[in-house]
Amino acid sequence: MTYLNIYSNSIVNKEQVDYVVIGDNEKQNTLLYGDLLFTLSSETPDEVGIGAVYLGESDKYYLNSFCFGLHMTATNKVYSPYLAYLVSNSVFRKFIYPLAQGSTRFNLQKNDFMKKKFSLPTFESQKEIARTLNALSSKLETERKLLLNYQEQKQYLLGSMFI
């Protein structure tokens, strides 16, 4: 699982995995369904600790060394698809921002992150929130595709007018 894959997606899965080279003397952790993944560094503090959730199968996928992950052990209390929305919202981003340290390159301090606590809604509320946000995300994606089609149609019609 590469840095860019985590940085670019709130939910990563089997179809979104890129290949990385792992040396013989390198130790990498295998990803499991529901793992919460974060980027460790960036040029700006705003981009440190960008999060994503792995919702793929537990195959031999590994985490890039510029990232870190958390295994969710309380699966009866944490609804993994909800985490994808949680880690990308502004409240969570404000939670992460003070943990970015550096001057020319900012790094997320894992130890400081692990000491932080935050509360989650009930499991059922997490499921309902995730379902609602997923439906809204799907609707937004449909509208974006429709807009692109309309823009293409407009270009075609404008081009036809001047022939």
Side-chain angles (χ1 to χ4, degrees), residues 112-123:
D112 293 340
F113 180 87
M114 297 304 286
K115 292 176 188 173
K116 293 285 190 174
K117 294 183 187 239
F118 56 94
S119 59
L120 295 173
T122 65
F123 188 80

Side-chain angles (χ1 to χ4, degrees), residues 157-163:
L157 292 172
L158 285 172
S160 297
M161 281 178 45
F162 299 112
I163 292 181

Side-chain angles (χ1 to χ4, degrees), residues 12-81:
V12 292
N13 62 35
K14 197 174 191 172
E15 289 75 38
Q16 297 169 318
V17 173
D18 293 323
Y19 292 100
V20 293
V21 176
I22 299 173
D24 292 336
N25 59 347
E26 252 185 295
K27 181 187 178 314
Q28 294 291 331
N29 294 315
T30 304
L31 293 179
L32 301 173
Y33 180 91
D35 282 355
L36 194 52
L37 312 173
F38 293 96
T39 60
L40 279 175
S41 65
S42 183
E43 285 80 24
T44 67
D46 292 331
E47 295 179 347
V48 171
I50 299 294
V53 177
Y54 179 71
L55 298 179
E57 297 192 18
S58 299
D59 288 327
K60 293 286 185 180
Y61 295 117
Y62 303 97
L63 192 57
N64 182 282
S65 60
F66 293 105
C67 305
F68 84 101
L70 301 171
H71 289 299
M72 293 296 127
T73 55
T75 55
N76 62 334
K77 294 182 181 180
V78 178
Y79 185 62
S80 296

Side-chain angles (χ1 to χ4, degrees), residues 123-157:
F123 188 80
E124 285 305 315
S125 293
Q126 291 175 51
K127 285 174 75 173
E128 185 61 32
I129 291 167
R131 276 194 295 267
T132 302
L133 291 174
N134 189 44
L136 290 170
S137 294
S138 295
K139 173 73 170 153
L140 185 58
E141 184 60 30
T142 300
E143 295 296 326
R144 283 187 184 133
K145 288 177 182 176
L146 189 58
L147 177 61
L148 283 173
N149 288 338
Y150 282 141
Q151 288 171 336
E152 287 178 21
Q153 184 179 28
K154 176 183 172 185
Q155 291 300 324
Y156 171 78
L157 292 172

